[in-house]
Amino acid sequence: MRNSFFLFFFLSLIGFAQPTVPTDYFSHPLDITMYLSGTFGELRNNHFHSGLDIRTQQREGLPVFAAADGYVSRINVQHFGYGKALYILHPNGYTTVYAHLQKYAGEIEEYVKKQQYHKESYEIQLYPEASVLPVKKGDLIGFSGNTGGSGGPHLHFEIRDGAQRPMNPMLFGIELKDDIPPIVNGLYAYPVGDSAHVNHNQNKSKIRLVKIKDGTYTTERIEAVGKIGFGIAAIDRLNGGTNQNGVYRITSQLNAKTSFDVRFDRFSFDETRYINRYIDYEHFRINRDRIQKLFRESSNPLSIIVEDFNDGFLEIQDTLDYSYTISVLDFAGNETTIIVPIHGKKGDVMIPKSEKKWTDVVYANYATSLTKGKFLVYFPIGALYEDAYLEINAQGDTIHLHKDEVPLHKSITLTADISQYAAEDREKLYIGLIRYRGAPRYVPSRRSGEKLSATLRNFGKYTIAQDVTPPRVTPVNFSEGKWMSNESFLKVRIDDSESGISAYRATINGKFILMEYEYKTKTLTYDFSDNVIQDAENNLKLVVIDNTGNSTTFETKFYRKPN
Ligand SMILES: [Zn+2]
């Protein structure tokens, strides 16, 4: 009896060893039933999702509460990213994060505003001492919103460990109704070895799935030989939601022995960009569908891969039979299984590997500089995950830098010779990404004499562009000479059609006013309750600068009954 209990305990430990965490410590940060629009580890652009996206009834302004006792350890206000975010450090070492807030509550809001006025900046990073803003579990800390890089009202909620690594908040005892198993959208085979094939094809191929019963699929018997791997496109759905969420765990077995085990319990922000190595990036860029590869290639240190045998690759021998099984799980334990029978068969390869061999070779483990026309491209060590042939050529002011189908892990530097431009024109130049339509998208560019350079995170077509058009400023809720006594806010629309907004500064009667910038609506908002105004007659001055230094000064006069 005792032995079998021990054995069971041991097996469950190695088979499903979730981190040990408190499951009754944190409470729900909203006082409504929890529905999620995003799960932990979900596959996003260039990162794994680091928290839960909690639905807020399609609106802003729901009260947000501290999930446990602690103190506000960090406040971050950014135009992009997390928007208005708040971090609480708890005595047990975990940090909870609340992002995309509409505003902070009470004393916290006052504290932030004071610092923003002091620094004369909307964007701000604060690290208050423990004694400044202590909180108790359930205290009102802010209101849910849609600030920063948020695609609709919701609360982004994170739990981080003592090393600031995001953890799956579901581990902490959050209960959600979910009886829908993960949905598999595609199974793919990857012949890897030089002489390997799958169904006599040396290229990646999609394998047709045959449903046996709900949650269980099989495939026709595959003929293969050599080193191969599999990849899977899968999503999860939650009850009461229509979102395509991330799955929690994918395991694969070859003849009942674990081949690969990926689990979204915890990761670090340092490794999140390796998602571009983990998924089939080219497939994603072409099809907008993310295949998770159930094998570990070079330059993939991801810690979400908790177990693997032979890096998840299969070595299929001629004449032998194998059973390969993939199981996809959501956090509630709902499971979808795929059984892949494989028969080892040497044979004439019918479809050879189609490889494009471009002339430029860039190595993963060496720095490389390439000169093309007036451009110099510098690849640092580790810019690429693997050595690659690239198609790089320049024509006039434009450089074709391969295609955004090969991922860049580290940024590369593009430097252009701009000596043929008149000195006074150089100031307005920038490097832009050529898109399907519209002006080239500004890439942070630096000018130094006759050189213009930019740091690029993606391949694509780039050009030297010029922006001589200053930003546009349009009042939203007032006009020259208006009485504004009944208005709570002063709203101005700012827009720049080329290089984009870089900075703005507003004053009333010479005094700085805090204007909150929402890039999605291109709006600057001043809250009259900040009480900067003391006079009836008010001169508003707003200066807006774009990324090449063109500036617009907007001045107007309005009236407001003094408080
Ligand atoms: Zn989120």
Side-chain angles (χ1 to χ4, degrees), residues 181-201:
I183 296 158
V184 175
N185 290 325
L187 173 69
Y188 297 83
Y190 293 81
V192 177
D194 283 340
S195 54
H197 75 84
V198 173
N199 290 333
H200 305 272
N201 185 345

Side-chain angles (χ1 to χ4, degrees), residues 111-146:
Y111 176 82
V112 176
K113 282 250 166 138
K114 201 174 156 196
Q115 303 293 328
Q116 286 173 317
Y117 271 94
H118 178 71
K119 219 192 135 202
E120 301 199 344
S121 168
Y122 172 59
E123 291 195 301
I124 201 160
Q125 279 266 18
L126 303 168
Y127 297 90
E129 297 287 320
S131 59
V132 178
L133 295 168
V135 292
K136 287 279 176 211
K137 186 173 189 162
D139 278 358
L140 179 68
I141 51 172
F143 298 89
S144 69
N146 188 33

